[in-house]
Amino acid sequence: MFKHLMLFISLFPTLAIAAFTPPITILLDHRNLEVRANAGFTSTTEWMIRIDTQQGVDQNGQAKLYFDGKRASQTVLEAYTIRPNGERVVVSPDRIKIRSDDADELAPYFSDDMVTVIIFPQVEVGSKLYYKVETKQNDPVI
């Protein structure tokens, strides 16, 4: 009896892991950083994920990219959704928002933090989401 119980316990974690499907798969995460002599920099980020579950749709239909609004600027160079049928749907400029970061609701007036929000169109299970963003920081933090 003890052997059967131990066998069941040892198999249970394996069964639970086998049933798990991650909400997304990261297909591309590439960053290029060029640092200038004055310690300013230009950063170019390319990112692509595949949506694997409905939870992935719910959690990743938009991307939030943070930067220091006092010292830097951020530009979305390219963003699109590739639907499961292969159709490429470009993110229109009205679906790219730059606003102050409201993460600290207690002191929003004392923060220079900004966020660029990319709202991807027609996201469904099997979609791929892509963006390429350039961040330029002219002044060093310290």
Side-chain angles (χ1 to χ4, degrees):
M1 178 74 170
F2 180 72
K3 286 183 180 182
H4 295 295
L5 180 61
M6 291 306 291
L7 179 63
F8 177 76
I9 291 172
S10 67
L11 289 178
F12 182 71
T14 305
L15 295 175
I17 291 170
F20 175 74
T21 301
I24 65 166
T25 300
I26 298 172
L27 302 174
L28 174 67
D29 189 356
H30 182 261
R31 296 155 203 254
N32 185 46
L33 183 65
E34 296 176 19
V35 180
R36 294 185 292 281
N38 71 351
F41 65 84
T42 300
S43 171
T44 305
T45 302
E46 283 187 275
W47 179 83
M48 180 183 276
I49 62 169
R50 183 183 62 235
I51 303 293
D52 294 327
T53 67
Q54 184 59 43
Q55 180 184 11
V57 172
D58 298 340
Q59 294 177 345
N60 297 278
Q62 62 182 13
K64 293 184 178 182
L65 310 163
Y66 298 89
F67 66 100
D68 182 341
K70 184 176 181 181
R71 294 181 181 86
S73 64
Q74 196 168 69
T75 306
V76 177
L77 303 175
E78 192 174 10
Y80 54 82
T81 301
I82 299 175
R83 299 185 63 210
N85 66 6
E87 177 189 4
R88 183 172 154 169
V89 184
V90 175
V91 176
S92 60
D94 66 315
R95 295 177 66 94
I96 299 172
K97 313 286 185 191
I98 298 177
R99 59 180 173 81
S100 63
D101 179 21
D102 57 3
D104 188 359
E105 296 175 4
L106 299 176
Y109 300 106
F110 303 112
S111 175
D112 294 322
D113 293 342
M114 300 291 286
V115 62
T116 299
V117 180
I118 303 170
I119 305 166
F120 292 96
Q122 302 182 32
V123 178
E124 57 190 294
V125 175
S127 295
K128 295 175 185 173
L129 310 180
Y130 171 85
Y131 68 72
K132 183 175 184 178
V133 173
E134 182 179 74
T135 304
K136 290 184 179 182
Q137 183 162 319
N138 298 319
D139 301 320
V141 175
I142 298 175

